[in-house]
Amino acid sequence: MLRLVIAATAAGVLAAAVALPAVGGAGVSAKSAMEGLNLKPEELDEPPLPERTKLVDANGKQIAQFYYENRQSVRLDQVAPIMQTALISIEDFRFYQHGPIDVEGTARALLKNLSSGGVMQGGSSITQQYVKQVLVNKAETPEEQQAAIAPTVSRKLSELRNAMAIERKYSKDQILEKYLNIAYFGAGAHGIQAAAKRFFGKSASELNLVESATLAGAVQNPARTDPNVGPESRARLLERRNLVLDRMAELKKITLAEATEAKAKKLGYKDTKFPGGCEASKFPYFCLYVQYEILNNEDFGKNQDERRKLLQRGGLTIKTTIDPKMQAAAEKAIKKYVSTKDKPVASQAIVVPGTGEIKAMAASRKFGGSKKKNEMSYNIVADGAHGGGRGFQQGSTAKVYTLATALEEGLKYGDGFPAPAGYQASGYSTFKNCKGENVGDPSHTVRNSSEGGGGFKTLETGTWGSVNTFFLRLEEKVSLCKVVKMAKKLGVKRSDGQKLSEVETFTLGVNEVDPVTIASSYAVFASRGQYCRPLAITEIKDRNGKAKQYKPKCSQVLEEEVADAVSGILSGVFTKGTMREVGGIGRDAAGKTGTTDNYMSAWFAGYTPNLASAVSLGDPRGTSSHKLIGITIGGRYYPYVYGASISGRIWKDAMMSALKGIEPTEFTPVDRSRFGGCTEQCAPKPKKKKEDKGPRDPFDIFNPPDGDGPPDGRGDGGPGNGRGRGGNGDAGPVVGPITPGR
């Protein structure tokens, strides 16, 4: 009896207090009660709702999405009227009639709960429910979340004060719209639009009576009625749906016949997937690159946690540089030569010279991380800063940096010197790093790929034949430090983020790198000396449609004439050098093969004035223990894999397809008055006796001792024994310092 008296009294006081602002009463007792309960409007902080972020390609088509909560806010006029009616019928049928609080409903709930010894529960209006959802969403910790739903009188009174302010601030339609967008419906669906798509595979505007009643019923206790949990939960959801239909018939919103017909229908849950993250993207490697561009950029937050929240909750639309046509070209070319089941992985990046825009990022293995399916768990096309690993040793594609240095230093096409069968530094001081430390190793012999003599080589013939000993001598002549500085100017960096290994065999490619980095460095020659930082994002729109543009970040790092001179020599690789067997692409192109020591990895990097690309091939389990020797790749057996064997062919096929429809552009002619001829030791006349009397070098295309060229036109030199850090070329994720090479 005592509880009933207390309950009745409390209900009366509360009713009087909350009814006053609704009906405009001026009774002294009611006013006193309201002041006693402090029921005055209290402003509610309403942070923006977590909204999904979507990535779109260069044409504006969605390619991926990120979300913390699966939500896509919509206007009230984008929600079917029957859905609005169903929700109001079951949750707050007097919503459009009562004030901030449904006094009758609240009093009934108060009386029932207190008489049973509990606290005030139920009876919440849609406005009150919206307030509670806002508080839950803004909670950062489990303690704050618990406080937002705590069954206490103080929390309920605070909720009422917030509800009064909300009703003063917004119209009823605005409140209903906000509630429909914030409410959780179960199955990971936040908001009516996501729920309509998740449950029934359609937009909220297309919902029918049965579907609307189902979603209206799910709101009360989505954890108990989540259709993904199991048969019991689905049965409870069906029961709630039918209860909603009965209530709608009772309120004359639908006829009894309509309710009966609707209740006879099955639940109709579609379980429509709403995939998020890069694993679900059609272009997962590029998606990862974009994701890390956001996570690593201080413009998007003070730390990675803030940036991740923005990515998952910010409702951004991120326009990217990816070109579906060029991406398809890369994927098709890779698939032609390397199988998804192969352990070695081929990966390719395509960028635009002069802007740095990344147009394609592809790999032979699918992204996902399942070892059983032979999937990749990291971004093998990019560096560690973009979700990648250690990369693969660059091999002879690094020789172009020495070539560019020589041309910049004033050497001409005809300059050269004899390239012996084996090269040894004359002393420890022969090579110095940029700190002035001796890094020469006179105890180490670098040999050409066939361990034969190279003969007299010039900048042209030494490059076309990719002669190791020639490039060691050239690096010695121009200085190791200058070559390292040239590589850095062109954007070259190790994939693991460590400093470049400045060792004697730098020119032979002992540093582990990735296709995006190498494609971007070769693009400098295509753009006549302009280095552009790789660009993946061109525009970001916030949830309100405000857009920010992201322009290319480029700088002139090389003289135009020097870049032209490099292109002039590298063009001959297709007709006179290591890509002779593969051939060109029917338009001006330049490039360089790269095969590392002991065939641990194989590369090709090349460009036209329109596009630059790099292709790597290696085994991510560890290239030192899983060499490309005596191996079957793509169903074809290879005794040895060279740069031109697979990587060069992938590059050719991909570029020919990617460039379809693009008008061919020619390289700027080389300034022969500056780079023609020779300044010092010129090549000997053809009739003179050959200087090299060593064993036959089948890869010495231009001065073979017996006059025969290589049987297949390959002959790409590797990086000696790969001395220096990272000699094993493992390509896995960055997990620690690189182990010393052999």
Side-chain angles (χ1 to χ4, degrees), residues 286 289-290 293 297 321 349-361 381-383 386 488-493 514-524 530-538 550-555:
F286 180 77
Y289 194 96
V290 174
E293 278 285 277
N297 192 333
T321 58
I350 299 177
V351 304
V352 178
T355 68
E357 293 174 283
I358 301 172
K359 291 300 181 182
M361 289 180 67
V381 197
D383 59 8
H386 292 90
K488 288 181 178 179
K489 283 199 304 183
L490 304 186
V492 178
K493 60 187 185 304
D514 59 276
V516 172
T517 296
I518 301 311
S520 299
S521 73
Y522 271 61
V524 174
Q530 201 174 44
Y531 171 73
C532 297
R533 180 180 172 185
L535 180 66
I537 299 170
T538 57
Y550 292 85
K551 302 296 184 183
K553 294 182 178 179
C554 304
S555 58

Side-chain angles (χ1 to χ4, degrees), residues 35 75 108 127 160 228 230 305 367 399 419 431 470 517 536 573 583 610 635 656:
E35 290 175 349
R75 300 186 310 273
R108 282 196 303 270
T127 306
L160 297 181
N228 271 3
D305 285 341
F367 177 78
K399 290 173 180 173
F431 294 94
F470 171 80
T517 296
V573 170
N610 308 102
M656 289 182 71

Side-chain angles (χ1 to χ4, degrees), residues 425-452:
S426 58
Y428 292 102
S429 62
T430 303
F431 294 94
K432 294 180 182 291
N433 62 22
C434 291
K435 291 182 179 180
E437 299 168 336
N438 298 332
V439 293
D441 187 356
S443 66
H444 171 55
T445 301
V446 174
R447 299 189 180 279
N448 294 320
S449 58
S450 64
E451 296 187 0

Side-chain angles (χ1 to χ4, degrees), residues 70 184-190 194 198-199 222 225-229 269 271-272:
N70 177 13
Y184 180 58
F185 292 83
H190 296 259
R198 183 79 174 92
F199 280 60
T225 57
D226 190 324
N228 271 3
V229 172
Y269 178 61
D271 192 18
T272 305

Side-chain angles (χ1 to χ4, degrees), residues 578 658 737:
T578 53

Side-chain angles (χ1 to χ4, degrees), residues 121-242:
Q121 294 180 332
S124 294
S125 67
I126 285 178
T127 306
Q128 289 172 266
Q129 291 182 52
Y130 169 69
V131 169
K132 182 193 294 184
Q133 290 286 348
V134 169
L135 295 173
V136 169
N137 271 274
K138 67 185 289 188
E140 294 288 340
T141 65
E143 292 75 20
E144 290 176 347
Q145 291 175 345
Q146 188 59 40
I149 60 173
T152 63
V153 173
S154 62
R155 197 274 300 171
K156 196 69 177 179
L157 291 176
S158 177
E159 179 185 284
L160 297 181
R161 290 191 287 271
N162 289 145
M164 293 169 67
I166 289 296
E167 291 259 356
R168 177 180 292 180
K169 186 176 181 181
Y170 303 113
S171 69
K172 287 288 188 179
D173 279 354
Q174 288 175 316
I175 294 170
L176 180 60
E177 177 184 296
K178 286 178 173 293
Y179 178 71
L180 283 166
N181 281 318
I182 200 173
Y184 180 58
F185 292 83
H190 296 259
I192 187 60
Q193 180 74 345
K197 290 184 177 181
R198 183 79 174 92
F199 280 60
F200 304 113
K202 58 175 61 174
S203 296
S205 61
E206 302 171 315
L207 293 169
N208 60 33
L209 171 62
V210 175
E211 295 160 348
S212 297
T214 303
L215 294 178
V219 167
Q220 185 191 62
N221 195 339
R224 280 181 52 80
T225 57
D226 190 324
N228 271 3
V229 172
E232 292 182 1
S233 293
R234 294 192 184 204
R236 286 192 287 267
L237 180 58
L238 187 64
E239 184 180 344
R240 278 287 297 170
R241 180 201 72 178
N242 292 341

Side-chain angles (χ1 to χ4, degrees), residues 383-554:
D383 59 8
H386 292 90
R390 293 178 178 173
F392 296 116
Q393 282 190 329
Q394 186 178 356
S396 295
T397 55
K399 290 173 180 173
V400 295
Y401 312 133
T402 307
L403 173 64
T405 305
L407 291 166
E408 187 176 63
E409 287 294 298
L411 271 68
K412 298 178 180 290
Y413 276 17
D415 285 327
F417 29 74
Y423 174 90
Q424 283 183 311
S426 58
Y428 292 102
S429 62
T430 303
F431 294 94
K432 294 180 182 291
N433 62 22
C434 291
K435 291 182 179 180
E437 299 168 336
N438 298 332
V439 293
D441 187 356
S443 66
H444 171 55
T445 301
V446 174
R447 299 189 180 279
N448 294 320
S449 58
S450 64
E451 296 187 0
F456 190 96
K457 300 296 178 185
T458 65
L459 293 188
E460 288 184 306
T461 59
T463 302
W464 296 335
S466 194
V467 182
N468 290 342
T469 57
F470 171 80
F471 273 92
L472 260 296
R473 289 200 60 182
L474 187 60
E475 182 186 64
E476 178 185 347
K477 181 176 181 61
V478 299
S479 92
L480 168 63
C481 183
K482 288 182 178 179
V483 174
V484 171
K485 288 181 177 179
M486 173 62 72
K488 288 181 178 179
K489 283 199 304 183
L490 304 186
V492 178
K493 60 187 185 304
R494 288 179 63 94
S495 288
D496 59 12
Q498 300 294 317
K499 292 183 178 179
L500 288 172
S501 182
E502 299 178 18
V503 294
E504 176 183 314
T505 50
F506 181 90
T507 188
L508 305 182
V510 296
N511 284 285
E512 283 91 349
V513 291
D514 59 276
V516 172
T517 296
I518 301 311
S520 299
S521 73
Y522 271 61
V524 174
F525 308 125
S527 60
R528 305 193 69 206
Q530 201 174 44
Y531 171 73
C532 297
R533 180 180 172 185
L535 180 66
I537 299 170
T538 57
E539 180 187 82
I540 296 182
K541 281 185 182 177
D542 64 18
R543 65 173 69 219
N544 300 314
K546 184 179 179 181
K548 181 179 179 180
Q549 310 297 323
Y550 292 85
K551 302 296 184 183
K553 294 182 178 179
C554 304

